[in-house]
Amino acid sequence: MTADRTGPVLQPIGPFDVDLLAELHHRCFTAIWDRPWNAKSFADVLAMPGAAGQILSVGDAPVGFGITLQAVDEVDVLLIGVLPEARGAGLGPMLLDSLLSAAASRGAARALLEVAAENRAAIATYTKVGFTICGRRKQYYPGPTDAILYERALNSCRIDDKSHQ
């Protein structure tokens, strides 16, 4: 993605980004059901075959990130987060679109994710961009909070396509 110096920019996650990812995670995920990830957690996941991700910056400031794990034709959206002060500007859907487009270019035909049943903002975003419920995990998160499982077919349509709005 190209943008001016003040617009949003996406870049692939590299092996030296784990401390930044841990800091972003700490600032993005603050609900009772969120589980903390540290630099080692990120290093372990990013070392797995099929792991990929992107950091989202506005100007020179990182404001979000997303990580996926792909196996053949399915991709799991493991994490996607935008700092609270940057939310509401369409950055989350833009980041998700980029992650899913990258996965589709690597052969993914289906995307999966899970979200805390209490996370209404995330659920609204996922529903708006074409994800549908495919399951539920009872008391999966602390709280105890259920996880709702979502899926979406990947094809040539981008998630910002008007057909999903």
Side-chain angles (χ1 to χ4, degrees):
M1 167 176 196
T2 59
D4 63 36
R5 290 190 55 112
T6 60
V9 176
L10 291 163
Q11 62 186 32
I13 290 174
F16 298 107
D17 292 324
V18 294
D19 289 325
L20 171 61
L21 292 169
E23 173 62 24
L24 287 169
H25 187 279
H26 175 75
R27 293 175 58 201
C28 290
F29 296 96
T30 59
I32 190 170
W33 57 79
D34 289 323
R35 297 176 178 147
W37 283 45
N38 58 30
K40 183 179 181 330
S41 304
F42 282 102
D44 290 346
V45 167
L46 292 170
M48 299 171 107
Q54 297 176 8
I55 294 174
L56 171 66
S57 298
V58 175
D60 293 330
V63 297
F65 71 97
I67 295 179
T68 60
L69 188 60
Q70 187 168 337
V72 191
D73 65 345
E74 288 189 342
V75 64
D76 285 309
V77 179
L78 297 181
L79 288 169
I80 185 165
V82 175
L83 294 176
E85 61 269 24
R87 293 178 187 157
L91 297 173
M94 182 187 78
L95 175 57
L96 183 57
D97 180 53
S98 183
L99 293 167
L100 296 180
S101 294
S105 73
R106 293 188 305 270
R110 180 176 177 227
L112 301 163
L113 60 83
E114 66 187 38
V115 62
E118 309 288 326
N119 193 342
R120 291 185 181 97
I123 289 169
T125 296
Y126 299 142
T127 302
K128 182 178 179 182
V129 301
F131 278 88
T132 57
I133 294 174
C134 64
R136 187 177 198 99
R137 292 184 178 141
K138 294 285 187 184
Q139 300 181 359
Y140 183 76
Y141 295 110
T145 301
D146 292 356
I148 301 175
L149 308 175
Y150 282 85
E151 67 182 347
R152 180 179 162 223
L154 301 181
N155 53 35
S156 60
C157 294
R158 295 175 56 93
I159 64 170
D160 58 0
D161 184 344
K162 300 294 183 212
S163 65
H164 294 297
Q165 297 179 356

